[in-house]
Amino acid sequence: MSMLQTGINPINLPITYLGYSLLIILICSISLAKVVRKWMQGRYPQGFRMVQGLIGLTTLRLLVFLLTYFTWQGNPVFSPYLLSLDQAASLMGLLVIFWLWAFPEPSREVDPAVLGLIIITGIFFTVQTLFTPSLLEGFTGSMVFWQGLSILVLLIGCSLIVVRKPNFWQHGLAMGSLLGIGSILAIISSDLEPLHLAQLAAYPLLLLLGERFPIGDKLSTDQPEEEALLRRSVSVDFQTLQLLHKLFNEKDPDGILYKIAQATSYLILSDLTLVIDTPDKHGKIRIIAGYDLIREEPLQALTLESKNIPLLTNYIQRGKMLHIPASSTSRDLSHLSKMLQLSKPGHLLAVPVHVPGTNKTIGVVLFSPFSNRPWTKEDQDYLRLLSELYEAAFNYHLATQKEEPESVKNTIRDLSSKLTQLTQDKQTLKDEMALLSKEHQHLLMDQDSLTAKHEQLKVYDNTLQRHLAMLVDLSKKESTEALRKYILVIEKEIQEVEKEVPREIPPEVLVDADRQEQEAEPAPEDPDSKRSANLKEAIQICLDDIGKQIKKKKIETELDLPDNPPLLTMNHALFQEILSFLISNAVEESKAEGKINIRTQVYEEDQTQHFAHIKIADQGDGYLPDDIAAVLNDHLTADQQEKLNQVMTNLYVTKNLIENEGGRMWVESKPGEGTIVSLLLAFQSDENSAEMR
């Protein structure tokens, strides 16, 4: 199968291949720089592992580029040797990439297997090119062979990523998918160009490797000094540690271990601190001591299998510091979370402490499940200093076991007595602070309750002022039926408020109010209030009543009414007063020689729904939609209500009366175009209308 054009080419390397190779090397180098920067901040094994993988990948790509370039300089022919070199390098790169994405933590089984496959691939290519060049002309030198192996590695690698689901696994899967597409297209087209393009598209995803285990950036230097002091990461400086080093003298070995856990929690502000022993002959690891800084109480001793925390066991036995981020898929984190009954343990940091005289090493392990502290390099240096302090304390303990001067004993007793007194004073202060905090919370709750009641009273006062203004206005107009109906609206609103707020009125006041209501003489009823509203009659009467103003302003009235409209369910007196408000509004707003249009449409959707749509339009100056909405939706304060003109007052009263009768009203208005008021009112069925007539 032909793989590429292998004829004579210019001495200089083609721009396409040169650019492709340099871009891949550049991306690998940038990814390496980002990972190194992250690793320098956190020093976690996953970061060092990524540094190793990216160094290998960058070196591989650089070596392939140099071999291709110098071979091309010696013999300007793109030989099968160079084609196989490019594909072998791509295959080894795939092994490194999937090793990085699928196995972020060290693995005793996978790491040697991947390294072995890379070595086997390199040896096979070397033997094929240097010792048996004839193989390059056969199947093992073809594109189908190399790309078939690449596709097999891609399938296995993507499957491992999906099964293991490490941090940022979606990006690793996307990278594998892009590379797989390139390999398939390369086989189909017998050309390596699709593979190169796919690699250029996929390799930038390596830039996200450094974000898989975030460590956290240091504080910026331009922050105020006060804020930096509040956000410092340790509670005691180094000079204080040197003083504590001289005073740390505990006779009981178990007491020393407990003090190590407690001191570490307070000095480095760790949420949880554990002191663990090395595995015994049965493979058991014992948590000797522990301290919970959040609850300020010691933790119970636990025993667990060393195989469940392999990384932690390995690093402590080798005397090395271990850092595992919270996003790791390590078995150590998941098992410790289960043992400590934590939803997540946060970031882990462990340091070994050599115990002199026993030829053993213990481990001090820090967790941040609540603060999510990432443990930067500064934290690690601080913890390493603490481990040296603890080793010195063990040495001091061994030295003082032989013979101790009486003066030292007295000093220790005095310091112990003072420490006990300080502890008691601290507890007393904590109790007083808790009591004051509880009282403060009660005061805040009372304040919130009073504020809410005050706001509610302001709302009720605003509503009362508005209703009084409307009642006075209706009484001046002598609109008896509208006044009576509006009182019903107010009573309905009062009943709704009484359901929400309990009435605290003395019984005798209620009795006097009921007596006055019974003794009051009923107002004479209007005969029109007992019959259903006649649409044509009401409109004509309203136009006659306001005829003088219409003639004075030379306004043209245009009526569009049905010939024989049905009677409305609303009583005639109320409907006539409502029309009077709206028609007077239209006359008031219309300019001289303007026009008023009154239109009625009757709708009968089915046997149960009968309604009339009445529209009253003028050609006045109009209003802003927000002003109309504020009035109709009851969003005005008492001060704003006093400034309302008569038109807005009529609209507000009319809307309440219409809705109280089961109808609907809405207003459309634009500045400079006029106002249209629409009413939707139910009318009686044909049988009832005939009887009423």
Side-chain angles (χ1 to χ4, degrees):
M1 179 180 290
S2 176
M3 299 176 65
L4 272 178
Q5 297 297 328
T6 56
I8 300 297
N9 288 278
I11 295 179
N12 294 327
L13 197 63
I15 295 299
T16 55
Y17 191 85
L18 177 65
Y20 150 76
S21 301
L22 289 180
L23 280 175
I24 294 297
I25 295 171
L26 178 62
I27 292 170
C28 294
S29 302
I30 295 174
S31 302
L32 176 61
K34 288 187 63 176
V35 170
V36 169
R37 178 176 173 272
K38 286 285 184 180
W39 179 68
M40 292 298 293
Q41 292 180 2
R43 300 290 182 136
Y44 51 96
Q46 293 85 349
F48 183 70
R49 185 179 179 83
M50 289 190 289
V51 170
Q52 291 176 316
L54 288 174
I55 287 177
L57 191 60
T58 305
T59 304
L60 173 66
R61 284 295 179 177
L62 185 59
L63 181 62
V64 171
F65 174 79
L66 293 176
L67 287 174
T68 305
Y69 179 79
F70 287 112
T71 302
W72 196 291
Q73 289 287 346
N75 182 16
V77 175
F78 207 116
S79 62
Y81 160 79
L82 295 181
L83 296 175
S84 296
L85 174 63
D86 186 18
Q87 295 182 92
S90 299
L91 178 60
M92 289 187 283
L94 286 178
L95 292 171
V96 175
I97 288 169
F98 283 114
W99 177 72
L100 288 172
W101 280 113
F103 298 94
E105 284 81 23
S107 174
R108 294 182 179 179
E109 298 81 17
V110 176
D111 294 355
V114 173
L115 181 60
L117 288 174
I118 293 175
I119 293 174
I120 291 172
T121 304
I123 293 175
F124 176 80
F125 171 77
T126 303
V127 171
Q128 180 179 242
T129 54
L130 297 182
F131 300 102
T132 55
S134 60
L135 294 176
L136 293 176
E137 303 297 330
F139 176 76
T140 57
S142 66
M143 184 178 298
V144 174
F145 173 77
W146 287 108
Q147 295 308 313
L149 290 178
S150 298
I151 292 173
L152 179 62
V153 171
L154 284 163
L155 291 174
I156 296 174
C158 291
S159 301
L160 288 173
I161 290 176
V162 173
V163 171
R164 291 177 57 81
K165 285 187 172 58
N167 202 27
F168 280 34
W169 67 274
Q170 299 92 338
H171 301 88
L173 184 62
M175 187 174 184
S177 301
L178 288 174
L179 294 173
I181 293 172
S183 296
I184 294 173
L185 292 178
I187 294 177
I188 295 174
S189 62
S190 299
D191 192 348
L192 288 179
E193 287 298 324
L195 177 63
H196 293 167
L197 292 175
Q199 289 177 346
L200 288 176
Y203 266 71
L205 291 173
L206 290 175
L207 297 172
L208 297 175
L209 275 175
E211 307 299 329
R212 302 178 74 188
F213 305 103
I215 296 303
D217 299 328
K218 296 181 179 179
L219 293 174
S220 58
T221 56
D222 57 349
Q223 287 181 321
E225 184 178 355
E226 294 78 9
E227 184 178 355
L229 290 175
L230 291 175
R231 297 180 60 186
R232 58 184 181 157
S233 59
V234 294
S235 60
V236 180
D237 55 17
F238 289 169
Q239 290 78 8
T240 307
L241 284 179
Q242 293 174 358
L243 295 175
L244 292 175
H245 183 195
K246 298 177 181 179
L247 298 176
F248 192 67
N249 185 20
E250 174 65 39
K251 297 298 182 183
D252 183 15
D254 293 336
I256 290 181
L257 298 174
Y258 170 73
K259 280 186 169 57
I260 287 177
Q262 186 179 23
T264 305
S265 294
Y266 279 103
L267 292 174
I268 204 169
L269 302 180
S270 168
D271 297 343
L272 295 177
T273 303
L274 304 179
V275 179
I276 66 172
D277 202 353
T278 49
D280 58 16
K281 60 181 180 180
H282 302 292
K284 302 286 186 181
I285 287 184
R286 189 164 63 96
I287 298 179
I288 313 170
Y291 192 78
D292 186 340
L293 182 62
I294 304 302
R295 299 180 178 86
E296 295 188 347
E297 61 184 17
L299 299 175
Q300 295 180 353
L302 295 172
T303 302
L304 54 155
E305 299 284 344
S306 60
K307 63 181 181 181
N308 292 326
I309 49 174
L311 275 180
L312 187 57
T313 303
N314 185 27
Y315 274 73
I316 296 301
Q317 286 179 325
R318 293 161 54 195
K320 291 188 176 182
M321 179 175 286
L322 174 65
H323 180 205
I324 303 178
S327 54
S328 171
T329 57
S330 170
R331 187 192 309 173
D332 300 60
L333 283 185
S334 59
H335 189 74
L336 286 171
S337 300
K338 182 178 179 181
M339 294 297 295
L340 298 173
Q341 297 181 352
L342 298 171
S343 58
K344 61 174 183 175
H347 303 272
L348 180 147
L349 182 63
V351 65
V353 177
H354 179 67
V355 181
T358 60
N359 195 23
K360 65 182 297 186
T361 302
I362 63 173
V364 179
V365 186
L366 313 182
F367 295 101
S368 58
F370 309 109
S371 62
N372 199 29
R373 187 170 174 179
W375 307 123
T376 61
K377 184 178 181 297
E378 181 182 358
D379 299 325
Q380 298 176 32
D381 294 339
Y382 196 86
L383 185 59
R384 189 174 287 108
L385 176 62
L386 284 180
S387 67
E388 296 174 1
L389 171 66
Y390 299 148
E391 291 177 3
F394 281 119
N395 283 324
Y396 182 72
H397 171 67
L398 292 175
T400 54
Q401 277 183 337
K402 300 178 181 179
E403 185 177 358
E404 200 173 55
E406 189 65 28
S407 60
V408 175
K409 293 181 179 179
N410 293 334
T411 302
I412 293 175
R413 292 191 189 98
D414 294 340
L415 290 175
S416 179
S417 176
K418 291 180 180 179
L419 181 61
T420 303
Q421 184 62 38
L422 288 174
T423 304
Q424 294 176 354
D425 294 343
K426 177 183 176 182
Q427 185 62 38
T428 303
L429 289 174
K430 285 179 61 178
D431 295 340
E432 292 178 355
M433 287 295 295
L435 181 60
L436 290 175
S437 177
K438 186 179 295 185
E439 293 178 354
H440 178 65
Q441 292 295 330
H442 289 321
L443 290 175
L444 289 178
M445 292 174 61
D446 293 341
Q447 181 183 1
D448 293 341
S449 177
L450 291 174
T451 302
K453 290 182 179 180
H454 176 68
E455 294 297 330
Q456 189 64 36
L457 288 175
K458 287 176 62 178
V459 173
Y460 292 156
D461 178 67
N462 180 39
T463 304
L464 178 61
Q465 295 292 336
R466 182 172 62 255
H467 287 324
L468 287 175
M470 296 301 175
L471 289 174
V472 171
D473 186 74
L474 289 175
S475 63
K476 290 179 180 179
K477 293 180 179 180
E478 297 182 356
S479 303
T480 306
E481 189 63 23
L483 181 61
R484 184 172 65 85
K485 291 291 184 177
Y486 193 72
I487 291 175
L488 294 177
V489 173
I490 297 175
E491 289 178 348
K492 182 179 179 181
E493 186 174 340
I494 291 174
Q495 291 174 359
E496 293 177 354
V497 172
E498 286 178 342
K499 293 179 181 179
E500 300 177 0
V501 181
R503 299 176 61 179
E504 299 180 355
I505 304 175
E508 56 272 14
V509 176
L510 295 176
V511 173
D512 292 341
D514 293 338
R515 184 183 301 113
Q516 292 176 5
E517 183 178 354
Q518 294 174 0
E519 294 176 356
E521 295 183 1
E525 294 186 0
D526 187 351
D528 288 340
S529 64
K530 296 182 179 180
R531 66 186 179 97
S532 299
N534 187 303
L535 184 62
K536 278 190 174 182
E537 179 183 345
I539 292 175
Q540 191 58 48
I541 291 176
C542 291
L543 291 176
D544 293 342
D545 290 342
I546 203 170
K548 293 182 179 180
Q549 289 89 332
I550 293 176
K551 291 180 180 179
K552 183 177 180 180
K553 297 181 72 172
K554 299 180 180 179
I555 296 174
E556 178 185 354
T557 58
E558 179 179 335
L559 301 180
D560 185 2
L561 306 176
D563 294 334
N564 190 20
L567 299 178
L568 302 177
T569 57
M570 184 185 302
N571 73 71
H572 187 82
L574 178 60
F575 179 68
Q576 183 171 317
E577 292 178 3
I578 289 174
L579 278 181
S580 176
F581 294 157
L582 297 179
I583 293 176
S584 64
N585 275 4
V587 173
E588 179 69 23
E589 290 295 302
S590 295
K591 300 177 182 178
E593 298 182 357
K595 182 168 66 173
I596 296 174
N597 181 277
I598 302 176
R599 182 182 181 186
T600 299
Q601 292 177 293
V602 177
Y603 299 92
E604 186 172 358
E605 294 187 354
D606 50 41
Q607 296 181 355
T608 59
Q609 295 186 359
H610 315 272
F611 56 92
H613 183 193
I614 305 170
K615 296 174 65 175
I616 302 174
D618 62 59
Q619 297 178 347
D621 293 332
Y623 295 90
L624 292 173
D626 290 343
D627 295 339
I628 295 291
V631 174
L632 297 184
N633 296 331
D634 201 9
H635 291 164
L636 297 176
T637 63
D639 294 337
Q640 292 172 328
Q641 180 63 43
E642 292 180 358
K643 298 177 182 179
L644 283 183
N645 57 25
Q646 189 60 51
V647 172
M648 290 296 187
T649 302
N650 288 346
L651 289 178
Y652 179 82
V653 174
T654 303
K655 179 177 182 293
N656 280 274
L657 294 175
I658 290 293
E659 292 181 350
N660 187 59
E661 294 295 319
R664 287 186 57 200
M665 168 182 161
W666 64 94
V667 180
E668 303 171 59
S669 183
K670 291 184 180 179
E673 296 184 9
T675 303
I676 302 174
V677 180
S678 297
L679 306 179
L680 206 62
L681 300 173
F683 61 81
Q684 298 179 359
S685 61
D686 295 338
E687 295 81 2
N688 294 336
S689 297
E691 293 177 1
M692 294 299 295
R693 291 192 182 92

